[in-house]
Amino acid sequence: SLLVNVAGQPRTEKVKLPSSLQGRKPNSIPKKKVEDPVSGKVNTSSLATAGQQLSGFHLIPPSVTLGVLKEGCTYAATVILKNVGVNFSRFRVKQPPPHTGLRVMYTPGPVGLQVELEIEIFAMVTGGEDTGGLEEIAHDIEILTETETLLLPVTANIL
């Protein structure tokens, strides 16, 4: 029940539903509704579910935490961009600014099922002030698709 916690006592705060149950994806900005004049309307019963979007991407994992990195070294992580639509879709990545040390490598072109994005970071400390030997890097990588803009949060601590 949403009214009581696991111990059977009344809850002190509201239960926050995950975004997947709320019908929207986390870290995404939907674009204005644009009809695609090339792809026709699908009228099969298996795809006629009301409110279901027939195009889009999911990021697996939805965020990247690289942990503690040694300054002057290069690290990489792989993220899968999965096409959950019924048609081929295109995307492009807005590369992060150079001062973050981040770079995204991928193969451009239409995506059938999925494509791998390699997130590469060159660990460098940019601030001149003394931060106690640890600097935190946090940046949202923008992935521009046909229907929305996905945000991939990348965090790391540089030693």
Side-chain angles (χ1 to χ4, degrees):
S1 170
L2 296 176
L3 301 175
V4 294
N5 61 13
V6 292
Q9 301 164 347
R11 291 188 185 271
T12 56
E13 54 190 48
K14 288 187 134 195
V15 176
K16 184 179 177 193
L17 288 175
S19 59
S20 59
L21 294 178
Q22 293 176 357
R24 61 180 175 86
K25 291 194 283 188
N27 299 327
S28 67
I29 304 165
K31 289 188 179 177
K32 293 180 184 175
K33 184 80 170 167
V34 177
E35 281 296 320
D36 189 4
V38 177
S39 67
K41 189 162 177 84
V42 180
N43 289 324
T44 59
S45 62
S46 64
L47 299 176
T49 349
Q52 182 182 10
Q53 192 165 2
L54 301 175
S55 64
F57 290 98
H58 284 291
L59 288 167
I60 303 169
S63 65
V64 177
T65 304
L66 296 167
V68 178
L69 310 178
K70 182 180 177 184
E71 184 180 9
C73 296
T74 302
Y75 299 87
T78 302
V79 175
I80 295 174
L81 185 66
K82 188 171 189 163
N83 185 357
V84 294
V86 294
N87 294 329
F88 285 89
S89 294
R90 293 186 173 274
F91 74 98
R92 69 181 183 89
V93 176
K94 187 174 178 185
Q95 292 290 341
H99 68 83
T100 61
L102 287 167
R103 187 170 70 170
V104 182
M105 293 177 291
Y106 64 98
T107 306
V111 180
L113 295 176
Q114 67 186 30
V115 67
E116 288 186 356
L117 306 175
E118 187 168 331
I119 313 298
E120 191 177 89
I121 183 169
F122 177 71
M124 60 184 174
V125 177
T126 56
E129 71 277 353
D130 185 26
T131 57
L134 197 65
E135 182 175 327
E136 184 175 346
I137 300 290
H139 185 76
D140 288 341
I141 296 174
E142 294 182 36
I143 301 168
L144 309 163
T145 69
E146 296 171 355
T147 57
E148 62 193 345
T149 300
L150 299 172
L151 300 175
L152 176 65
V154 177
T155 57
N157 291 316
I158 299 174
L159 190 62

